[in-house]
Amino acid sequence: QRRIRMLSVSTADGHYTSVRKIPGHPLVLHFDEIPPSANHAFTVNKYIHRIVPTTEAKKYMAKVQESATLQADGWVWHGSWLVLYFQLYLPDNRRHDLSNCKKLLEDGIKKGIGVDDKWYLWRDLVPIVDRTQSGGCDVFLYQDESQGVLEIA
């Protein structure tokens, strides 16, 4: 029988949210800005004829990589699917394509924990609109589907 524990997570608006989770060692990544859209994160380098990340995208991926590396200290991948819950905090009601927001997060996490993103199963939570903040996002990463039960209280 699994015991449910409570985990206190800081959200983009500076408050702490109680998160119920099944035991396991999740990685919790928090960012104070909305990820750049994949539509604007890449450009074509006409000299080498390849698509490359922009300077802004490189900076964001480096920030994600650093955070994932710090959070993954002592974390071991067991070769199972990785379930990533994605919570986006928006400053207004403008529409955002969640899949485009996740591309740079995906690449940064991949570099930070060393697990290919083909093993990622994304679960999108309903975006939260808070006009008093500039936006941000949280990513909760679990080892596999059986541990990936997350309910925000």
Side-chain angles (χ1 to χ4, degrees):
Q1 180 174 355
R2 297 179 187 209
R3 292 181 36 208
I4 295 177
R5 297 186 301 173
M6 296 300 285
L7 174 69
S8 188
V9 177
S10 175
T11 60
D13 59 4
H15 295 93
Y16 282 87
T17 300
S18 295
V19 177
R20 284 189 352 194
K21 68 179 192 64
I22 291 175
H25 183 59
L27 300 182
V28 180
L29 307 174
H30 171 74
F31 303 99
D32 289 328
E33 58 189 271
I34 297 173
S37 171
N39 294 336
H40 304 288
F42 298 94
T43 185
V44 177
N45 184 316
K46 64 182 179 181
Y47 300 108
I48 61 172
H49 305 290
R50 292 188 185 224
I51 296 173
V52 296
T54 62
T55 303
E56 178 189 8
K58 287 179 186 176
K59 288 179 184 176
Y60 192 82
M61 282 191 292
K63 186 186 300 185
V64 172
Q65 178 181 352
E66 179 184 0
S67 180
T69 302
L70 290 173
Q71 288 291 324
D73 185 36
W75 181 84
V76 177
W77 182 50
H78 300 295
S80 60
W81 291 101
L82 298 178
V83 181
L84 295 97
Y85 284 87
F86 178 62
Q87 177 68 71
L88 188 63
Y89 303 96
L90 301 172
D92 53 36
N93 283 326
R94 287 185 299 145
R95 292 169 46 141
H96 289 268
D97 186 341
L98 296 183
S99 62
N100 285 342
C101 289
K102 293 184 290 195
K103 180 59 184 156
L104 296 179
L105 286 168
E106 203 169 66
D107 292 346
I109 292 170
K110 176 175 135 179
K111 290 178 182 178
I113 65 174
V115 177
D116 194 329
D117 54 7
K118 71 179 181 182
W119 291 100
Y120 296 0
L121 297 173
W122 286 95
R123 303 287 185 256
D124 295 337
L125 301 174
V126 177
I128 296 172
V129 176
D130 183 358
R131 288 176 170 60
T132 63
Q133 300 295 320
S134 61
C137 69
D138 291 328
V139 177
F140 306 91
L141 187 147
Y142 287 87
Q143 282 281 345
D144 62 52
E145 191 73 43
S146 66
Q147 291 184 349
V149 176
L150 177 72
E151 297 174 16
I152 296 185

